[in-house]
C-alpha cells in the first residue's frame, strides 16, 4: 500500500516504546506524573475550550433575538465575515509563531497568546457596533494559534510515551467542552430582554484564557526545548521527576534522555530554523503536503456548517422556534463530547491509517445521505407540505456526523501532527497546519451562508465531492505512525541511518547500565550520563 510503504525506511527500532510498554504502573500510581497530567488539563487542553466556545457562541448568538436586533440581523457576506473574523485573526499571527515558540519556549508562548485573547474577549463583550465586534473577534483569533501550537506540542513533549497518544488526542476534546459551556450559557441568556443576552456570553469567553494564565507556570518547560538551549541539566531533572517513577525508571530516563539529545542534535545539524526548512528535502515536502491537506480536511469536511450555521440549517427544514433550536444546539455539543472522548481513548488500540480511512469513508456516506434527506425536507417545506420523515432523517444525519468526524479529524489531528513533525520543525509544521486550517475555516465560514441562501440543499453536494477526494488522498499519502515515540518517528521520511544513529545512543546507555548512576542522583551522575550519550 502506498501510504504504508513510503515511510517505513525512516522508522527506528522502537526501543523506548518497548521499555514504556513494559511499565505496568498506571499513571495514577505515579504522584508526579498524575500532578503533571492534572496541570495539563487547565493549561494546555483548556486552550481548545476557547475555540469550542467561540464556534458555539457565534452559532448560538445568531439565534438570540437581541443579538440580531443589536447588529441589524446580519445576513450573507456580513454574517460570514462576523464568523470568519476569528480565523482571519489567526491567519495574521501564524508567521510569528515559530519564532515566539523557539525563543521563549512553550509556556511563555501560551501565556502571551492567552493575554491577547483576554483583551479580545473584553473588546468583544463591550462592542458598540458590528465593526468593533469583528475587530474583537480578530484579536481573539490572533491569540489562539500560538496557544494551540505551544499547547499541543507541550502535551506531546511532556507526556509519558505510553499515555502520549491519548493525551494529545484529548487536546481537541476540550473543544466540545467549550461548545457545551457556550451553548448552555447562550441558552440561559436567550430570553434576557436586553443586549446583555449576547454581551454576557461574549465576555465569558475570557474564562479559558484566565485559566491558562493562572496555571501555565505550574507546568515544567518542554525538556526538548531545554536541550536545544543547552540546558540539559534541567531537561534531565524534569524527565527524572515525571518519567522516572516506574520500576525501571532510572534506566528508562537514561535511555530517553540519550535518544532526545542525539535525535535533536541530528535534526538541528540539518535545520536552519527558517520556514524554508519545511521545503528543503523530499521528506519535509511530503510532510508539508500531508499537513496542508489535513488542515483543509479538518475545515472543509462540512463541520463548519454545523458549528456556525446550525440555526440556518434547521430553519431550512422548518425548525424556527429559538428555544427548541437552542436545545438541539446543546444536545449536539454534549453528543460531540461523548463521541470525541470515546474515540480519543481508542488511539492506543487502533492504527492511525485505519482511523483516518474509517473517518473519511463514513463522512462521505453520511453527507450523501444527509444531502438526500435535506433535498426531500427542503422541497417539502417550500411546497408547504412538511415532510416529517425527511426532517427527522436530516436531524439524524446531523447527529451521525459527529462520531464520523471525531474518528479522525478530532481525535487524531494533533496526535498525528506531533508525530509527523520532528522537534526542530514541529512549531513551524503545526503552524503551517494552522495556516491552512484557518484559511479553509475563513473561506467556509464566509461562503457557507452565501451558498445556503443561494442554492439551498444543493450546496451540500460540494462537500460530498470534496469528501470523496479526502478518501483517496488519505489512502495513498498518509503514513502509519502508530506505536512509536516522537524520536522514533523523527526520521520517518529520511534515510534510515539517521534513525539508527539515535538508536545506537539508546543502546549504548542501556548496555553500559548508566541508569544506575542517575539513580544515585546529583550533578556527577547527570554529567556522566551526558558524557556517555555524547
Amino acid at each position: 500500500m502506498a501510504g504504508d510503504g513510503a515511510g517505513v525506511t525512516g522508522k527506528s527500532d522502537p526501543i523506548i516504546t518497548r521499555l514504556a510498554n513494559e511499565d505496568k504502573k498506571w499513571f495514577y500510581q505515579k504522584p508526579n506524573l498524575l500532578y503533571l497530567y492534572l496541570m495539563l488539563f487547565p493549561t494546555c487542553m483548556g486552550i481548545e475550550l476557547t475555540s469550542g466556545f467561540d464556534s458555539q457562541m457565534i452559532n448560538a448568538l445568531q439565534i438570540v433575538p437581541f443579538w440580531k436586533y443589536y447588529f441589524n440581523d446580519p445576513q450573507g457576506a456580513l454574517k460570514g465575515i462576523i464568523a470568519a473574523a476569528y480565523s482571519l485573526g489567526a491567519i495574521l499571527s501564524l508567521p510569528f509563531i515559530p519564532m515566539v515558540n523557539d525563543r521563549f519556549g512553550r509556556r511563555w508562548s501560551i501565556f502571551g497568546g492567552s493575554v491577547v485573547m483576554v483583551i479580545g474577549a473584553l473588546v468583544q463583550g463591550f462592542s458598540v457596533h458590528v465593526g468593533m465586534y469583528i475587530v474583537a473577534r480578530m484579536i481573539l483569533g490572533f491569540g489562539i494559534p500560538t496557544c494551540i501550537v505551544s499547547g499541543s506540542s507541550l502535551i506531546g513533549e511532556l507526556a509519558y510515551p505510553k499515555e502520549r497518544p491519548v493525551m494529545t488526542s484529548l487536546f481537541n476534546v476540550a473543544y466540545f467542552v467549550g461548545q457545551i459551556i457556550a451553548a448552555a450559557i447562550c441558552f440561559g441568556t436567550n430570553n434576557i430582554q436586553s443586549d446583555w443576552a449576547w454581551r454576557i456570553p461574549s465576555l465569558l469567553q475570557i474564562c479559558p484564557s484566565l485559566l491558562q494564565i493562572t496555571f501555565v507556570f505550574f507546568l515544567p518547560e518542554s525538556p526538548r526545548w531545554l536541550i536545544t538551549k543547552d540546558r540539559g541539566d534541567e531537561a534531565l531533572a524534569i524527565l527524572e521527576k515525571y518519567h522516572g517513577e516506574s520500576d525501571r525508571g532510572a534506566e528508562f530516563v537514561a535511555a530517553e534522555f540519550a535518544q532526545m539529545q542525539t535525535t535533536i542534535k541530528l535534526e538541528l545539524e540539518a535545520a536552519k530554523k527558517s520556514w524554508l526548512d519545511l521545503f528543503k528535502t523530499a521528506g519535509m515536502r511530503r510532510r508539508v503536503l500531508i499537513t496542508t491537506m489535513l488542515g483543509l480536511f479538518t475545515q472543509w469536511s462540512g463541520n463548519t456548517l454545523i458549528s456556525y450555521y446550525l440555526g440556518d440549517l434547521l430553519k431550512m427544514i422548518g425548525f424556527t422556534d429559538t428555544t427548541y433550536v437552542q436545545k438541539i444546539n446543546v444536545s449536539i455539543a454534549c453528543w460531540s463530547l461523548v463521541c470525541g472522548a470515546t474515540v480519543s481513548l481508542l488511539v492506543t488500540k487502533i492504527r492511525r491509517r485505519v482511523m483516518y480511512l474509517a473517518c473519511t469513508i463514513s463522512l462521505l456516506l453520511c453527507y450523501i445521505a444527509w444531502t438526500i434527506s435535506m433535498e426531500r425536507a427542503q422541497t417539502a417545506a417550500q411546497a408547504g407540505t412538511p415532510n416529517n420523515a425527511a426532517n427527522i432523517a436530516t436531524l439524524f444525519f446531523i447527529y451521525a456526523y459527529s462520531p464520523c468526524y471525531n474518528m479522525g479529524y478530532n481525535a487524531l489531528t494533533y496526535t498525528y501532527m506531533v508525530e509527523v513533525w520532528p522537534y526542530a520543525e514541529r512549531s513551524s509544521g503545526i503552524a503551517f497546519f494552522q495556516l491552512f486550517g484557518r484559511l479553509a475555516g475563513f473561506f467556509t465560514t464566509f461562503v457557507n451562508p452565501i451558498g445556503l441562501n443561494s442554492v439551498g440543499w444543493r450546496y451540500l453536494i460540494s462537500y460530498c465531492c470534496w469528501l470523496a477526494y479526502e478518501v483517496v488522498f488519505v489512502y495513498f499519502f498518509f503514513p502509519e505512525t502508530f506505536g512509536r515515540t516522537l524520536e522514533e518517528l523523527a526520521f520517518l521520511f529520511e534515510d534510515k541511518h539517521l534513525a539508527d544513529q539515535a538508536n545506537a545512543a539508546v543502546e549504548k546507555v542501556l548496555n553500559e547500565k548508566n541508569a544506575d548512576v542517575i539513580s544515585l542522583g546529583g550533578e556527577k551522575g547527570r554529567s556522566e550520563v551526558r558524557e556517555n550519550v555524547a
Side-chain angles (χ1 to χ4, degrees):
M1 185 181 295
D4 266 326
V8 172
T9 55
K11 293 179 184 175
S12 65
D13 184 24
I15 297 172
I16 301 296
T17 300
R18 285 200 298 269
L19 284 174
N21 289 337
E22 289 170 7
D23 176 13
K24 301 306 178 186
K25 279 188 176 181
W26 290 88
F27 69 91
Y28 54 78
Q29 296 173 306
K30 304 172 182 178
N32 292 332
L33 190 62
L34 177 60
Y35 167 83
L36 175 67
Y37 289 167
L38 289 175
M39 285 297 103
L40 283 172
F41 272 89
T43 50
C44 295
M45 292 173 186
I47 290 165
E48 279 289 36
L49 286 171
T50 300
S51 294
F53 193 105
D54 184 82
S55 71
Q56 189 62 267
M57 183 189 72
I58 287 299
N59 194 1
L61 288 184
Q62 292 176 49
I63 308 165
V64 174
F66 264 87
W67 185 87
K68 292 191 286 187
Y69 172 77
Y70 195 89
F71 294 119
N72 297 316
D73 195 13
Q75 297 294 325
L78 179 58
K79 191 175 190 178
I81 198 64
I82 289 173
Y86 186 77
S87 293
L88 180 59
I91 293 166
L92 296 175
S93 76
L94 289 172
F96 309 105
I97 290 176
M99 177 185 67
V100 172
N101 259 261
D102 292 336
R103 181 168 183 178
F104 298 106
R106 311 302 194 201
R107 296 184 304 172
W108 277 105
S109 297
I110 293 171
F111 181 86
S114 298
V115 169
V116 172
M117 287 190 287
V118 166
I119 295 169
L122 290 172
V123 175
Q124 179 178 250
F126 293 110
S127 294
V128 295
H129 52 73
V130 71
M132 187 174 175
Y133 196 78
I134 291 170
V135 170
R137 293 185 48 71
M138 289 178 65
I139 295 172
L140 277 163
F142 192 88
I144 191 68
T146 186
C147 292
I148 289 176
V149 172
S150 304
S152 59
S153 298
L154 191 58
I155 293 170
E157 291 164 6
L158 283 176
Y160 191 64
K162 192 165 66 171
E163 290 98 28
R164 177 188 56 76
V166 173
M167 295 298 288
T168 49
S169 295
L170 286 172
F171 177 74
N172 250 2
V173 172
Y175 181 94
F176 298 121
V177 178
Q179 278 196 323
I180 292 170
I181 295 170
I185 290 170
C186 291
F187 180 75
T189 63
N190 184 62
N191 294 320
I192 293 178
Q193 299 302 305
S194 73
D195 56 359
W196 286 103
W198 63 266
R199 289 191 189 277
I200 290 173
S202 297
L203 286 169
L204 287 177
Q205 196 166 353
I206 200 175
C207 294
S209 298
L210 291 178
L211 276 177
Q212 281 113 54
I213 290 170
T214 303
F215 289 103
V216 70
F217 292 108
F218 287 92
L219 283 175
E221 185 52 85
S222 164
R224 291 163 176 87
W225 182 80
L226 292 170
I227 288 171
T228 65
K229 301 301 179 184
D230 296 322
R231 294 162 64 181
D233 290 343
E234 297 172 57
L236 183 55
I238 290 168
L239 293 174
E240 286 178 337
K241 182 175 182 179
Y242 297 106
H243 290 190
E245 297 178 285
S246 64
D247 294 332
R248 298 175 65 187
E251 182 182 12
F252 177 83
V253 168
E256 186 180 34
F257 184 67
Q259 187 185 58
M260 283 185 190
Q261 276 201 319
T262 308
T263 303
I264 289 172
K265 180 182 176 183
L266 291 170
E267 289 177 27
L268 294 179
E269 283 175 356
K272 294 181 180 179
K273 290 288 183 180
S274 79
W275 285 100
L276 294 178
D277 287 339
L278 303 187
F279 305 93
K280 192 162 65 172
T281 66
M284 285 298 170
R285 289 191 292 273
R286 183 171 176 187
R287 288 183 177 94
V288 167
L289 176 63
I290 293 167
T291 299
T292 299
M293 288 297 110
L294 188 56
L296 298 178
F297 294 169
T298 57
Q299 299 299 318
W300 280 0
S301 297
N303 49 309
T304 52
L305 270 179
I306 299 173
S307 297
Y308 288 93
Y309 301 108
L310 179 64
D312 290 348
L313 290 171
L314 296 179
K315 184 178 179 181
M316 288 167 64
I317 57 175
F319 296 108
T320 56
D321 179 71
T322 59
T323 302
Y324 181 75
V325 172
Q326 293 281 22
K327 288 178 179 178
I328 292 177
N329 209 15
V330 174
S331 67
I332 288 176
C334 294
W335 170 237
S336 297
L337 174 62
V338 171
C339 295
T342 302
V343 174
S344 293
L345 299 177
L346 299 176
V347 295
T348 58
K349 308 294 183 185
I350 305 174
R351 299 177 76 83
R352 309 288 187 253
R353 282 175 51 81
V354 173
M355 291 184 73
Y356 271 123
L357 284 169
C359 168
T360 52
I361 292 170
S362 61
L363 281 175
L364 175 59
L365 295 176
C366 181
Y367 240 90
I368 291 172
W370 180 7
T371 303
I372 294 170
S373 66
M374 191 77 170
E375 184 272 334
R376 295 286 85 201
Q378 191 177 11
T379 301
Q382 290 171 346
T385 55
N387 185 334
N388 289 330
N391 292 345
I392 292 170
T394 299
L395 269 179
F396 172 81
F397 290 119
I398 289 173
Y399 280 91
Y401 180 90
S402 182
C404 301
Y405 183 87
N406 278 296
M407 265 189 278
Y409 296 144
N410 183 269
L412 285 182
T413 297
Y414 290 102
T415 299
Y416 202 60
M417 285 291 92
V418 169
E419 290 174 346
V420 165
W421 286 100
Y423 174 81
E425 290 82 22
R426 187 166 294 139
S427 293
S428 298
I430 298 178
F432 206 78
F433 163 78
Q434 280 281 308
L435 172 63
F436 279 87
R438 298 296 176 179
L439 284 170
F442 175 79
F443 178 80
T444 55
T445 50
F446 181 72
V447 303
N448 277 342
I450 299 172
L452 289 174
N453 287 339
S454 301
V455 294
W457 67 268
R458 295 174 184 83
Y459 183 62
L460 275 62
I461 297 174
S462 63
Y463 284 111
C464 294
C465 298
W466 178 257
L467 286 165
Y469 166 73
E470 290 183 14
V471 175
V472 175
F473 188 92
V474 168
Y475 181 84
F476 284 106
F477 290 99
F478 273 34
E480 185 56 72
T481 59
F482 178 82
R484 307 268 174 162
T485 67
L486 301 184
E487 279 66 39
E488 288 162 358
L489 291 165
F491 306 110
L492 181 64
F493 300 126
E494 282 72 32
D495 197 312
K496 184 78 160 62
H497 84 276
L498 294 171
D500 290 339
Q501 286 183 54
N503 253 16
V506 175
E507 290 169 348
K508 179 180 178 183
V509 169
L510 292 176
N511 291 338
E512 295 179 4
K513 302 184 183 298
N514 282 308
D516 291 337
V517 179
I518 288 185
S519 65
L520 296 175
E523 189 59 34
K524 180 181 176 183
R526 295 193 179 100
S527 298
E528 291 181 30
V529 171
R530 284 192 297 276
E531 287 169 10
N532 281 296
V533 170

